[in-house]
């Protein structure tokens, strides 16, 4: 009997192998107590065990934070501090406007929505959205006669945290990277086209949040109270 077979013959070794296999199948937990979930909608989604989103009927949107990719500003010397602030401010406003529009849109089935409010409450979900690693291929700085052509407007990453507005308890976190569509040929890039492409991506993220909240509400409706929850981000 070789050494490998001898080890497997040991009860302690068998227990170790079993525990290792179980650990490999266990979901990864973060330091803040969230458990990573399996989903095809975003790159990463973490959920606090037992989190209940069905009781939230209103949403409080924190100020949106926007930051560029690590070397973006170094690669775009034409963007000074003033323009950098404008781009980030415009992006933050676009994100907030798009999430507000999607959350407050009346549902086609029951007419319900999620009013965006400014103060905490028992039924208020605190949504904190950040856009990081923003990489605009050709920022429009308003230089006369300057034209830029691109195959894609750029890319960015969403980090969204869902918290209870009263306690501040972190309930879920989503992380997702998206790239603007790739054109078949070079297209002119300016402030209008960049905003349009950004709105397409942000619109997708806001619809995913709305769908998740709707699913939580539908899964806990009286007619479905005995069915297991199937929440998806």
């Amino acid at each position: 009997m070789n050494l490998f077979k001898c080890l497997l013959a040991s009860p302690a070794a068998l227990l170790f192998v079993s525990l290792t296999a179980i650990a490999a199948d266990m979901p990864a937990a973060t330091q803040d107590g969230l458990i990573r979930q399996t989903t095809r909608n975003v790159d990463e989604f973490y959920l606090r065990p037992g989190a209940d989103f069905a009781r939230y009927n209103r949403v409080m949107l924190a100020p949106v934070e926007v930051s560029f990719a690590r070397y973006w500003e170094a690669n775009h010397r034409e963007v000074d501090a003033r323009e950098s602030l404008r781009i980030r401010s415009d992006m933050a406003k676009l994100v907030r406007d798009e999430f507000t529009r999607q959350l407050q849109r009346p549902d086609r089935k029951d007419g319900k929505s999620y009013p965006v409010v400014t103060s905490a409450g028992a039924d208020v979900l605190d949504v904190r959205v950040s856009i990081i690693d923003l990489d605009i291929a050709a920022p429009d700085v308003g230089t006369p006669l300057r034209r830029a052509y691109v195959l894609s407007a750029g890319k960015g990453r969403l980090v969204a945290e869902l918290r209870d507005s009263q306690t501040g308890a972190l309930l879920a976190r989503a992380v997702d990277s998206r790239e603007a569509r790739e054109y078949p040929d070079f297209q002119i890039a300016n402030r209008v086209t960049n905003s349009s492409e950004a709105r397409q991506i942000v619109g997708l993220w806001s619809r995913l949040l709305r769908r998740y909240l709707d699913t939580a509400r539908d899964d806990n409706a009286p007619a479905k109270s005995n069915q297991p929850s199937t929440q998806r981000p």
Side-chain angles (χ1 to χ4, degrees):
M1 183 180 293
N2 57 35
L3 178 60
F4 180 72
K5 290 183 178 180
C6 289
L7 288 173
L8 288 184
S10 167
L14 291 174
L15 177 60
F16 173 78
V17 171
S18 299
L19 292 177
T20 302
I22 293 173
D25 292 333
M26 291 179 63
T30 65
Q31 291 182 346
D32 39 30
L34 305 185
I35 303 296
R36 184 165 184 172
Q37 309 294 303
T38 300
T39 177
R40 294 178 296 177
N41 294 324
V42 294
D43 294 335
E44 301 173 38
F45 182 67
Y46 302 88
L47 184 67
R48 181 172 297 281
D52 177 20
F53 292 95
R55 64 189 183 92
Y56 297 109
N57 300 310
R58 298 179 294 164
V59 170
M60 186 170 64
L61 285 175
V64 178
E65 300 288 338
V66 178
S67 60
F68 292 114
R70 184 174 181 181
Y71 296 109
W72 186 85
E73 291 178 294
N75 293 333
H76 291 277
R77 299 294 187 183
E78 74 277 16
V79 180
D80 58 22
R82 181 178 180 179
E83 280 299 313
S84 174
L85 177 60
R86 179 196 63 78
I87 293 172
R88 287 184 283 114
S89 297
D90 287 352
M91 185 65 180
K93 183 178 185 304
L94 185 152
V95 172
R96 183 177 180 84
D97 289 349
E98 195 63 30
F99 271 80
T100 298
R101 185 183 68 83
Q102 190 61 235
L103 289 166
Q104 297 191 149
R105 173 184 55 80
D107 186 84
R108 294 180 179 179
K109 296 183 298 181
D110 55 20
K112 293 183 179 180
S113 64
Y114 300 90
V116 175
V117 298
T118 57
S119 56
D123 66 336
V124 176
L125 180 67
D126 183 7
V127 177
R128 305 182 185 184
V129 177
S130 298
I131 304 298
I132 65 174
D133 296 336
L134 181 62
D135 188 350
I136 304 173
D140 184 355
V141 295
T143 304
L145 303 180
R146 180 181 181 273
R147 290 188 176 183
Y149 295 86
V150 298
L151 287 175
S152 175
K155 56 188 176 181
R157 181 181 302 176
L158 166 86
V159 179
E161 291 188 346
L162 310 182
R163 295 176 177 267
D164 181 86
S165 65
Q166 290 185 312
T167 66
L170 178 60
L171 306 175
R173 179 187 295 115
V175 181
D176 191 53
S177 297
R178 297 280 172 170
E179 187 169 355
R181 58 179 171 168
E182 184 173 341
Y183 305 122
D185 301 300
F186 281 97
Q187 301 289 325
I188 191 169
N190 53 43
R191 195 171 302 183
V192 174
T193 60
N194 287 340
S195 294
S196 177
E197 292 296 325
R199 194 175 300 278
Q200 292 290 326
I201 297 175
V202 175
L204 170 63
W205 284 330
S206 64
R207 289 192 298 274
L208 287 174
L209 173 61
R210 174 62 189 264
R211 187 188 310 166
Y212 184 67
L213 296 179
D214 284 345
T215 300
R217 182 177 63 193
D218 292 344
D219 284 351
N220 287 272
K224 300 180 180 182
S225 59
N226 294 326
Q227 296 185 10
S229 174
T230 57
Q231 295 181 31
R232 296 288 184 187

